[in-house]
Amino acid sequence: MGKHPSQKHADGFHGFTAADMEKKFQVSLVGLSAEHTLKEILATLQSTYSGSVGIEYMHIGDLQKIDWIRQRVEDPNFIPSDKNKLLKVYKELLKVDTFEMFLNTQYKTTKRFGVDGGEAAVAGVNAAIEKAATLGMSECVIGMPHRGRLNVLTNVVRKPLVQMFAEFKGTHYDFEKLVEKSDEDDWLFAGDVKYHLGTSQVFSFEGGKTITATLEANPSHLETVNTVTLGRARAKQYYLGNTEESRTRVLPILFHGDASFAGQGVVYETMQLAHVQEFDVGGTIHVIINNQVGFTTDPVDDRSTLYTSDLGKSFNLPILHVNGDDPVAVTSAFELAAEWRQTWQTDVIVDVVCYRRFGHNETDAPEYTQPVLYKQINKHPRTEAVYANSLVDSGAATPQELEAMKSSIWKEHEAAFKEADSFKPSEEAEWVATKWEGFVRPTDMSNSHPTGVDVELLRKIGERLCYTPDGFKVHNGLKRQLKKKMEDLEGGETIDWATAEALAFGSLLLEGNHVRMKGLCETGPIVKESKSEPLVDVCPRCFRSSR
């Protein structure tokens, strides 16, 4: 009979035993050169691969990329120990934590979809943006669901605190004027408007690097914002020249829940288009806020894979699992993700393994469905407290230093909260995700900006829609459709939706606007990206524009 597995472990692993710990071996680990004892090698490997960051990358299949990651994560400085860096991370975390704690104090029973339990992820995104900025990025487009959205608006996109508090107090919008300007069926604003709308801000990091950050507006349907976010990123890259260099200048970041990342098809659909020529945005940083529970569902009941991020292996992506209660490790993982994206122009996944301190929102009682889990969560200290204790224990900071920082940031929130009583919104439309020049505010008359087109111009566009090249044999069924379309256009009485849409595209093109149309026919992808001519050239199979 063979030995019991426990007895094999007692004898050692891979033929090594405790007696071999002082033997020396030649290794090629980063940070170790020449000969080292097995004990030193084991300590280095454990600190790299058995700490707060777990990295899946051996599945990638490209030795150059594998070595690129290995050189960085095996570097002893991958997780920094410099006091200034540690305190910078603490300050970023403290802003995130204070925002949630302050709102919980002022609006304890109000929905805010706080990021409590995953605070380090917000600080990590800031680190990723700052890192990418040093590597050429100048614009960032973010898509995310409700959870943590208000915090990202405030602490990443830099929406002013006073404006956020004014929205909570209901002093930001003139609702009576809005009601007068709107029909009841077209009511634009609801009580949870804060969790749906986005914004765009321009700000600078230390050193003067200016960044334009946009948070996309988002409906309640998880993951639907993914394609919108990447579409906006692609459009920005187009206007920056539509080149490989422009890909590095615009960084898309997508937040996901653990259950939705594994369970919703649009995630796969988005990722499998990542390197199709006309959809490539030069890589996306995917951030999973891994609560280790879906809405109320245990992982064993919502997916077949070990990790929620396993989809990434289908596309040879590096996956960085990181403990959300270790903000320095989280920050390091995000910085590595940003460097990967800027270097290799492919997607990367950061799986922040954390928890959801409250329920789906602050009015829920998660103990109803997860009593055992939430018994543990209720006893667990906040991430800020965990990190503060580690800073004090390591001698990186004193309790007095940390308390001074906490007091200062709390006072900033109190001052902004007081100022919100008299806050007056600017004339700009803060509620839209980009400051569009001439965009109509909800309190303005929409007809002050006419969008109509002269009928004769529409008829000319219609003629080109029905145009067929000389010598081109048109299918009889399509010939009848084109004839009917032309009769409708000449008659001017009624046209169908498809024709109206095509006329709109044509008028936009004639005005010099960029119009992007994507379809698929038997001859392959048909893409039109033009700033000048209306639809002229056609595909010989489906009669769509081939330009």
Side-chain angles (χ1 to χ4, degrees), residues 93-110:
L93 178 70
L94 194 54
K95 291 177 183 178
V96 178
D97 184 75
T98 302
F99 179 82
E100 300 297 350
M101 293 289 285
F102 191 86
L103 285 179
N104 192 46
T105 300
Q106 300 293 340
Y107 299 99
K108 195 169 186 64
T109 60
T110 300

Side-chain angles (χ1 to χ4, degrees), residues 65 68-69 318 336-344 346-348:
K65 292 179 178 178
W68 186 94
I69 294 175
L336 179 63
E339 189 179 359
W340 168 276
R341 188 271 177 183
Q342 291 297 90
T343 302
W344 298 105
T346 67
D347 290 8
V348 56

Side-chain angles (χ1 to χ4, degrees), residues 425-438:
S426 69
E427 289 302 309
E428 295 182 353
E430 299 93 345
W431 56 276
V432 293
T434 298
K435 302 298 188 297
W436 294 344
E437 183 178 350

Side-chain angles (χ1 to χ4, degrees), residues 392-442:
V392 173
D393 292 343
S394 66
T398 65
Q400 292 75 21
E401 286 180 290
L402 302 184
E403 186 57 39
M405 294 173 67
K406 291 179 69 173
S407 177
S408 175
I409 293 176
W410 187 271
K411 287 178 180 177
E412 290 176 6
H413 282 67
E414 287 182 327
F417 189 75
K418 183 177 181 180
E419 188 182 346
D421 289 333
S422 57
F423 177 79
K424 298 294 182 184
S426 69
E427 289 302 309
E428 295 182 353
E430 299 93 345
W431 56 276
V432 293
T434 298
K435 302 298 188 297
W436 294 344
E437 183 178 350
F439 196 91
V440 181
R441 290 169 54 85

Side-chain angles (χ1 to χ4, degrees), residues 230 233-234 237 243-244 246-252 274-277 279-285 338 340-348:
L230 300 187
R234 174 76 185 200
Q237 292 167 353
T243 62
E244 286 189 17
S246 72
R247 303 281 180 261
T248 65
R249 292 178 60 188
V250 183
L251 167 67
H275 295 296
V276 174
Q277 182 178 347
F279 292 91
D280 192 348
V281 293
T284 300
I285 297 179
W340 168 276
R341 188 271 177 183
Q342 291 297 90
T343 302
W344 298 105
Q345 296 288 280
T346 67
D347 290 8
V348 56

Side-chain angles (χ1 to χ4, degrees), residues 4 13 33 38 66 74 85 145 153 180-181 191-192 232 242 276-277 335 381 388 427 431 508 515:
H4 188 274
F13 293 91
S33 58
L38 180 60
I66 289 174
E74 291 181 358
K85 175 69 173 181
L153 276 168
E180 291 173 4
K181 299 277 186 182
D192 63 350
R232 178 184 289 271
N242 205 24
V276 174
Q277 182 178 347
E335 289 176 341
E427 289 302 309
W431 56 276
L508 288 169
V515 175

Side-chain angles (χ1 to χ4, degrees), residues 60-192:
I60 291 177
D62 183 326
L63 288 178
Q64 189 177 4
K65 292 179 178 178
I66 289 174
D67 284 342
W68 186 94
I69 294 175
R70 188 176 67 83
Q71 289 171 8
R72 282 156 179 77
V73 301
E74 291 181 358
D75 188 322
N77 297 315
F78 174 55
I79 306 295
S81 57
D82 175 71
K83 177 178 178 177
N84 291 333
K85 175 69 173 181
L86 298 181
L87 290 182
K88 180 180 179 181
V89 172
Y90 180 72
K91 185 175 182 180
E92 289 296 320
L93 178 70
L94 194 54
K95 291 177 183 178
V96 178
D97 184 75
T98 302
F99 179 82
E100 300 297 350
M101 293 289 285
F102 191 86
L103 285 179
N104 192 46
T105 300
Q106 300 293 340
Y107 299 99
K108 195 169 186 64
T109 60
T110 300
K111 290 191 299 183
R112 57 184 168 86
F113 297 95
V115 73
D116 307 76
E119 298 95 335
V122 180
V125 167
N126 268 330
I129 293 174
E130 187 170 4
K131 182 67 174 181
T134 66
L135 299 172
M137 186 271 291
S138 59
E139 295 197 46
C140 179
V141 186
I142 303 172
M144 69 181 300
H146 285 9
R147 184 168 186 240
R149 187 176 186 81
L150 300 184
N151 213 311
V152 169
L153 276 168
T154 304
N155 289 306
V156 176
V157 187
R158 314 291 176 90
K159 182 174 181 176
L161 262 179
V162 62
Q163 182 178 334
M164 179 63 72
F165 290 149
E167 292 180 13
F168 268 93
K169 290 185 174 185
T171 60
H172 182 45
Y173 299 110
D174 189 340
F175 282 97
E176 291 184 3
K177 186 180 291 186
L178 287 173
V179 172
E180 291 173 4
K181 299 277 186 182
S182 305
D183 294 328
E184 185 175 350
D185 292 339
D186 295 328
W187 180 236
L188 177 64
F189 292 96
D192 63 350

